[in-house]
Amino acid sequence: NIIHMKYKKNRTQNEPFMVYGLNGCLSILDSSSCTIKKIIILDNFKKENPETLRLLKKHNSKLTELPSQIFNEEYHMYRTQGIIIYFTYELLDSFPNNENNDNECYLILDSIKDPQNLGQIIRTSECAGITGIVLPQRRSVGITNSVLQVSQGAFCHINIIKSINIKYLINDLKGIGFWIIGIENSIDA
């Protein structure tokens, strides 16, 4: 049920995600929510991007520099800006325990079918200060390479929670004092 980017075969559960380009990759390099498996950079990337050296040094054992001909042959279909990261990322199964924070806001999504839309929602939510996003296990797009790419690294700074049953989750949230506000944009006026 997880779809890989259009240029590649379908992604398996155990296969790492892939993000490319400076914004998304810098967030992953500085994140504790992602486990980096492999970093591939263009051979002149360090010279052209000296501000990333500190972050790259933390992951030096996973770093591979490729000559431009090989890099371009392998990744010509992406706008990489000279960097690609393969990593694992796990969704949360429950809300993190934040007893000290009375000011939390979660966005519960349902029936989001387009990975581009979900990525934009994640990016906008992070900018708006949303604590986390709840995604249903079924009837919506899951976390894909496209979703993570479009989010431009915002997924590293926001909790993303997978819910088996949104109806029960909403009732549980009401029970612990959350206000619930519903918005629907497909109803004809």
Side-chain angles (χ1 to χ4, degrees):
N1 68 8
I2 296 178
I3 301 166
H4 201 293
M5 296 190 70
K6 64 183 176 182
Y7 301 105
K8 299 284 183 179
K9 66 186 185 326
N10 286 344
R11 166 181 194 288
T12 64
Q13 271 310 73
N14 298 328
E15 187 178 345
F17 290 105
M18 180 187 85
V19 165
Y20 52 88
L22 280 174
N23 289 336
C25 289
L26 288 176
S27 292
I28 294 166
L29 288 170
D30 204 26
S31 171
S32 61
S33 63
C34 298
T35 303
I36 294 175
K37 299 297 183 184
K38 182 169 47 171
I39 303 168
I40 300 172
I41 60 173
L42 193 57
D43 56 3
N44 66 349
F45 180 82
K46 288 179 184 177
K47 186 173 30 173
E48 292 182 9
N49 299 281
E51 69 280 359
T52 63
L53 288 178
R54 177 187 59 83
L55 294 172
L56 285 172
K57 282 181 183 176
K58 285 180 14 182
H59 306 285
N60 205 29
S61 66
K62 297 174 179 151
L63 185 64
T64 302
E65 291 184 51
L66 294 178
S68 57
Q69 182 181 351
I70 295 171
F71 187 92
N72 292 332
E73 281 175 16
E74 183 72 23
Y75 301 106
H76 65 90
M77 72 286 289
Y78 306 112
R79 293 183 180 193
T80 66
Q81 296 176 299
I83 185 168
I84 296 165
I85 297 181
Y86 292 90
F87 62 98
T88 56
Y89 174 77
E90 296 295 324
L91 297 177
L92 301 175
D93 288 327
S94 61
F95 286 84
N97 189 5
N98 293 333
E99 293 177 7
N100 301 350
N101 192 353
D102 289 335
N103 192 17
E104 293 183 349
C105 179
Y106 287 90
L107 183 61
I108 302 172
L109 302 175
D110 193 20
S111 300
I112 304 294
K113 304 290 188 206
D114 184 348
Q116 301 282 323
N117 287 347
L118 180 54
Q120 291 171 356
I121 290 168
I122 293 170
R123 190 172 68 225
T124 303
S125 296
E126 192 253 343
C127 290
I130 301 292
T131 308
I133 294 176
V134 178
L135 299 173
Q137 198 166 23
R138 296 186 303 268
R139 293 187 335 266
S140 288
V141 67
I143 296 298
T144 67
N145 284 333
S146 293
V147 169
L148 299 180
Q149 184 66 40
V150 171
S151 83
Q152 290 292 294
F155 68 93
C156 295
H157 309 287
I158 193 166
N159 296 317
I160 301 180
I161 301 154
K162 179 175 45 178
S163 174
I164 294 172
N165 190 311
I166 288 179
K167 177 183 170 186
Y168 293 133
L169 173 74
I170 290 171
N171 288 334
D172 291 344
L173 290 173
K174 285 181 186 177
I176 58 173
F178 274 89
W179 293 0
I180 307 298
I181 300 169
I183 299 171
E184 168 63 56
N185 72 349
S186 64
I187 296 175
D188 294 328

